[in-house]
Amino acid sequence: MPGLLLGDVFPDFEAETTQGTIKLHEFFGDSWGILFSHPRDYTPVCTTELGRAARLSDEFSKRNVKLIALSVDCLEDHHGWTKDILAYNCEESSCCSLPFPIIADSKRELAVALGMLDPDEKDKDGIPLTARCVFIIGPDKRLKLSLLYPATTGRNFDEILRVVDSLQLTAGKRVATPADWKPGDCVMVPPSMSEEEAAAWFPAGVYTKDLPSGLNKESPTCLDDAHRPSRPYSSCMLILPLTVRAANLLC
C-alpha cells in the first residue's frame, strides 16, 4: 500500500516467519508494534542491526513494544542467518535465538505493498532490494511513525527507543517533546492549550520565557502525581503553553 500516511490503519496481513505463521494485527495484539525491514539476509549492516535490536529487546518489552523484522529471503535463509546474527552480536553463550520473528518475503509482495523497495539498491539480477524501513504502530493499529533509511546506512535503535518514549508519552498526555528530548528532559504543551488549562494540568507552576520575536514562549513546570506518566520520566518538565504559542518551536 504505497503512500501509507501517519494515522492510517496499518494493513493487516498473514505471513510466514521464523516463529511460524502470523497475522500482523493478531501478533501485535494490544501492544505497540515495530515492523522493520532489511535489504537481504547475510548482509553485514543488517546483521549488526538485528543483533542490536535483539540486545535491546528487554527495553522494548518494558515499553510494551513487540518487534518483527522482514527480509526478502526464504525461511531457510533466515534460520541460517540467525546463527550469524547471534554469533556476531551476542556475548552470552545462552543467547541461542532471536527474541522476535523475521518475516520471509522472498517474492517481495509485502515489500511492494508497503512501499519498502529502494530503486537504487538492486540484487545480482537487477531487482530492487528493500530499504531499511521502520514502521511504529500503536495499539489502535494506526501508523504512528515511519522512518526510511537507504541500504548503506544502518539504523540507530537508541533513537527508535527514544521516539517510542516520546510517542507513548504524548499519546497519553497533552504535551510535545522538543529537539533531542530524552526521558527525564523537559517537554512542552501544544499551542492549542490555554494558559489557564496549562495551570490546571500542571499545578506546580508554569515558567514563561519571552523570546525576541514575541511569537514563542517557554515554560518549565512540574507534573504532580495525578498527571505523572505511568513510567516515570522526571518530576520536572519543560512546558511551552502560552498565550503566544510555541508554534515555531513545535515545527
Side-chain angles (χ1 to χ4, degrees), residues 25-239:
H25 287 193
E26 184 178 283
F27 173 75
F28 286 150
D30 295 329
S31 301
W32 287 70
I34 295 180
L35 169 63
F36 58 115
S37 63
H38 299 268
R40 288 303 291 263
D41 291 7
Y42 297 105
T43 54
V45 175
C46 297
T47 300
T48 64
E49 288 186 316
L50 282 170
R52 181 61 177 156
R55 290 200 302 274
L56 289 174
S57 62
D58 287 345
E59 290 299 319
F60 284 107
S61 294
K62 290 176 186 177
R63 293 159 171 80
N64 192 31
V65 177
K66 290 184 177 179
L67 302 175
I68 187 166
L70 179 149
S71 185
V72 291
D73 286 293
C74 65
L75 284 178
E76 183 179 358
D77 285 342
H78 286 356
H79 285 298
W81 181 33
T82 295
K83 298 175 183 178
D84 284 3
I85 295 166
L86 297 175
Y88 181 82
N89 292 279
C90 294
E91 298 176 357
E92 299 179 8
S93 59
S94 59
C95 185
C96 58
S97 63
L98 286 178
F100 51 81
I102 306 175
I103 294 171
D105 189 31
S106 57
K107 295 182 180 179
R108 291 174 168 77
E109 293 173 346
L110 288 173
V112 171
L114 297 172
M116 292 177 167
L117 293 182
D118 183 347
D120 292 330
E121 294 293 330
K122 300 178 181 179
D123 64 15
K124 58 182 177 59
D125 298 317
I127 300 174
L129 300 174
T130 44
R132 301 184 191 282
C133 299
V134 179
F135 295 121
I136 300 182
I137 302 154
D140 59 0
K141 305 302 181 289
R142 294 184 181 276
L143 181 64
K144 304 301 182 182
L145 179 143
S146 63
L147 298 168
L148 183 63
Y149 292 67
T152 51
T153 301
R155 284 160 285 201
N156 185 327
F157 282 82
D158 292 313
E159 167 64 5
I160 294 172
L161 274 176
R162 188 192 75 86
V163 297
V164 166
D165 285 329
S166 174
L167 290 168
Q168 292 184 343
L169 176 63
T170 57
K173 309 296 175 186
R174 292 182 65 187
V175 295
T177 57
D180 301 326
W181 176 88
K182 300 181 299 298
D185 291 349
C186 295
V187 298
M188 310 177 208
V189 297
S192 59
M193 183 181 289
S194 69
E195 289 193 28
E196 292 74 17
E197 287 180 290
W201 272 89
F202 308 106
V206 173
Y207 165 72
T208 298
K209 180 178 180 180
D210 292 319
L211 299 179
S213 68
L215 298 177
N216 307 270
K217 292 183 180 180
E218 297 182 3
S219 314
T221 189
C222 294
L223 298 177
D224 63 18
D225 290 337
H227 300 104
R228 196 180 305 282
S230 57
R231 269 187 312 105
Y233 286 85
S234 169
S235 60
C236 186
M237 300 196 144
L238 176 71
I239 306 296

